[in-house]
Amino acid sequence: MVIPSLIQHKRDGRALTADNWAQLVWAYTSGKIPDYQISALLMAVFFRGMSPEELAALTDAMIASGDSMEWDGLGMPVVDKHSTGGVGDKVSLLLAPMVASCGVAVPMMSGRGLGHTGGTIDKLESIPGFRTGLTMRETRAQVERIGCAMIGQTPQIAPADRKLYALRDVTGTVESIPLISASIMSKKLAEGLDGLVLDVKTGSGAFMPELERSIELARTMIALGEVRGCPTMALVTAMDRPLGRACGHTLEVEEAIEGLRGGGPPDLMEVTYALGAEMLVQAGVEPDQAGARTRLEESVSSGRALETFGRVIEAQGGSPAVLEDPGILPQAGAVEVYRAWRDGIVSGVEPHRIGRGILELGGGRRTVEDHIDPTVGFVLTVKPGDKVRRGDPIASVFARDEAGIPIGMAALEVAITIGDSGKLTPLISHRITAAGVEPLAAG
Ligand code: URA
């Protein structure tokens, strides 16, 4: 295999064979191809795309780079959800314990931050002691006991994606339908699921900002799942503003805990319940979304979902005391309120700028080796369409120290626009299954 020729082939818009992809993935995962050559190949894919045959071969090779989980004898359906990535998207933190406490096994396998978006694994690791690197055996044992594990990719599960994901994060090759699809579906299919629910983000803070491309991404992933025997569906949800109020690792864990206590922001709870209802229906434990939603709401109001989260935290090495006292999470060294500079209507809260702001404050990675500061971020208390008066507190900056405050303030100045009009786009705009695309009236 002559790597430069394969890169040139792809660069010139020609398809590689299934065999080429299998060998490339195997060789890269085994450390036989350097990052710089795979970076060039990823960039060629970014610009040239992939044929359906290439995408299938890449996905299969990524699954085959590791082992697959098996759930024989578990006695519970096994379902997961995955998001294409957003800002303030802490849904997984609430959803996994909620769904697990309704009798469905959730081996929630998530990623780290990617580009301007935050990753569930980084958020969980802001809980002191929380261990996300469980082995497959540990994961299975925990799911048997608690119904839920919240893990990163172990070296055993789709290790090719683990390497490629980290490389894409720092080489400008994230926003590609085939690369996102292969990344998400390889790890999800290796989980051996009975069903998968996808949260496909759309809007300026999503990797696919245009609705048509978001729908294409959803359909590509659904096709990959269905052909491989995993019932897969998607909801298309808004990412033209951050989800919820908190953006940043510990801040989002705190907001997730608030949500599991029944006090989360309405948009966060709406997306979480909608995805959770799809998971319960897909798992076959509820016949329809309405019943599933009631059951999920009860899991929160009864305290069962919160208790399940506590058991997960304890099982994975963290202290469940964080649920009673989120103040034990590491805290920012400096906090400052940001105020509206005029009367008017919020016309935009730009998630991409917020995500970049977190990066600038030290909460993201610029290179694969970077360590992140979990304490930094923003709390945004307005949404597009909200009326504000000059001087109203509309956001807060959380920085490592005083030096970070102007950096955060500068990000907010660009991210939050106030004008004479503004409105909220629908929160959940489409439901997509193998049967087709259904626009949803409810927003
Ligand atoms: N989430 C993933 O797991 N992979 C991507 O490429 C994008 C979002």
Side-chain angles (χ1 to χ4, degrees):
M1 193 173 46
V2 183
I3 310 296
S5 314
L6 295 180
I7 298 170
Q8 282 163 0
H9 205 73
K10 195 69 226 168
R11 180 201 66 192
D12 295 342
R14 284 173 286 158
L16 303 185
T17 65
D19 217 38
N20 290 150
W21 282 113
Q23 285 190 39
L24 279 163
V25 169
W26 173 81
Y28 180 57
T29 313
S30 332
K32 296 186 191 334
I33 307 180
D35 282 351
Y36 57 80
Q37 284 184 317
I38 293 297
S39 303
L41 183 66
L42 291 171
M43 193 57 87
V45 170
F46 181 92
F47 283 113
R48 293 298 191 169
M50 292 179 106
S51 68
E53 295 74 24
E54 285 186 284
L55 176 58
L58 173 63
T59 309
D60 288 336
M62 287 168 68
I63 298 171
S65 69
D67 297 329
S68 292
M69 288 191 185
E70 279 171 23
W71 301 103
D72 299 345
L74 186 69
M76 271 190 284
V78 184
V79 175
D80 198 1
K81 102 72 216 187
H82 200 83
S83 156
T84 55
V87 177
D89 179 7
K90 70 284 290 173
V91 167
S92 294
L93 302 179
L94 297 96
L95 190 60
M98 271 164 63
V99 171
S101 67
C102 294
V104 175
V106 187
M108 177 74 69
M109 189 195 295
S110 310
R112 298 198 176 276
L114 190 62
H116 64 284
T117 68
T120 301
I121 289 308
D122 292 327
K123 292 170 200 174
L124 285 166
E125 287 180 355
S126 74
I127 302 173
F130 197 103
R131 197 164 66 89
T132 57
L134 303 193
T135 62
M136 285 169 69
R137 186 184 295 221
E138 286 173 320
T139 303
R140 160 117 199 183
Q142 185 173 315
V143 170
E144 273 174 19
R145 214 156 25 92
I146 305 174
C148 180
M150 299 172 89
I151 58 170
Q153 272 161 279
T154 64
Q156 295 148 298
I157 294 283
D161 179 55
R162 199 155 78 138
K163 280 190 85 173
L164 289 169
Y165 188 96
L167 193 60
R168 286 168 57 221
D169 186 28
V170 291
T171 55
T173 50
V174 172
E175 299 90 344
S176 146
I177 289 181
L179 294 180
I180 296 175
S181 300
S183 163
I184 292 180
M185 295 310 290
S186 61
K187 54 188 169 258
K188 293 291 130 175
L189 289 165
E191 279 181 52
L193 302 172
D194 297 314
L196 173 63
V197 172
L198 297 165
D199 179 1
V200 177
K201 303 290 186 193
T202 195
S204 56
F207 291 131
M208 292 297 136
E210 304 89 19
L211 180 61
E212 298 69 37
R213 301 262 293 154
S214 309
I215 292 176
E216 189 189 333
L217 173 61
R219 299 190 77 162
T220 304
M221 291 191 287
I222 289 168
L224 283 172
E226 295 276 335
V227 166
R228 285 161 186 75
C230 176
T232 305
M233 64 81 60
L235 294 179
V236 178
T237 70
M239 190 36 68
D240 56 351
R241 69 273 186 180
L243 185 62
R245 291 187 279 259
C247 302
H249 301 89
T250 50
L251 295 169
E252 292 189 43
V253 172
E254 288 177 26
E255 188 166 271
I257 294 170
E258 199 183 312
L260 286 170
R261 290 193 171 284
D267 61 341
L268 171 65
M269 298 316 289
E270 185 54 38
V271 170
T272 306
Y273 283 132
L275 292 164
E278 296 289 354
M279 289 169 80
L280 296 195
V281 172
Q282 210 175 43
V285 299
E286 282 293 336
D288 56 42
Q289 273 83 5
R293 190 180 169 120
T294 305
R295 193 147 156 193
L296 289 163
E297 284 170 355
E298 278 166 11
S299 81
V300 172
S301 59
S302 64
R304 274 185 293 116
L306 186 73
E307 187 200 324
T308 302
F309 192 36
R311 293 181 69 199
V312 170
I313 293 174
E314 188 160 33
Q316 294 188 223
S319 166
V322 70
L323 300 181
E324 301 305 322
D325 178 13
I328 65 176
L329 291 167
Q331 299 291 320
V335 181
E336 193 150 321
V337 170
Y338 179 78
R339 295 178 185 279
W341 65 95
R342 60 164 276 190
D343 292 353
I345 297 175
V346 176
S347 47
V349 183
E350 176 47 58
H352 200 277
R353 188 66 191 93
I354 295 294
R356 278 207 4 250
I358 295 173
L359 201 84
E360 288 160 7
L361 287 168
R365 293 182 185 80
R366 291 169 202 269
T367 69
V368 173
E369 294 81 24
D370 270 0
H371 288 287
I372 58 169
D373 182 341
T375 67
V376 302
F378 302 94
V379 171
L380 305 148
T381 47
V382 287
K383 300 275 177 199
D386 285 354
K387 239 177 158 163
V388 292
R389 303 290 303 270
R390 184 188 158 99
D392 282 353
I394 57 174
S396 302
V397 176
F398 291 72
R400 185 178 308 159
D401 50 35
E402 290 299 331
I405 296 294
I407 297 171
M409 290 289 183
L412 291 176
E413 260 164 41
V414 179
I416 305 179
T417 46
I418 303 176
D420 298 322
S421 65
K423 78 174 178 34
L424 220 46
T425 57
L427 183 61
I428 306 174
S429 65
H430 293 77
R431 181 175 188 273
I432 308 182
T433 62
V437 179
E438 181 192 344
L440 300 175

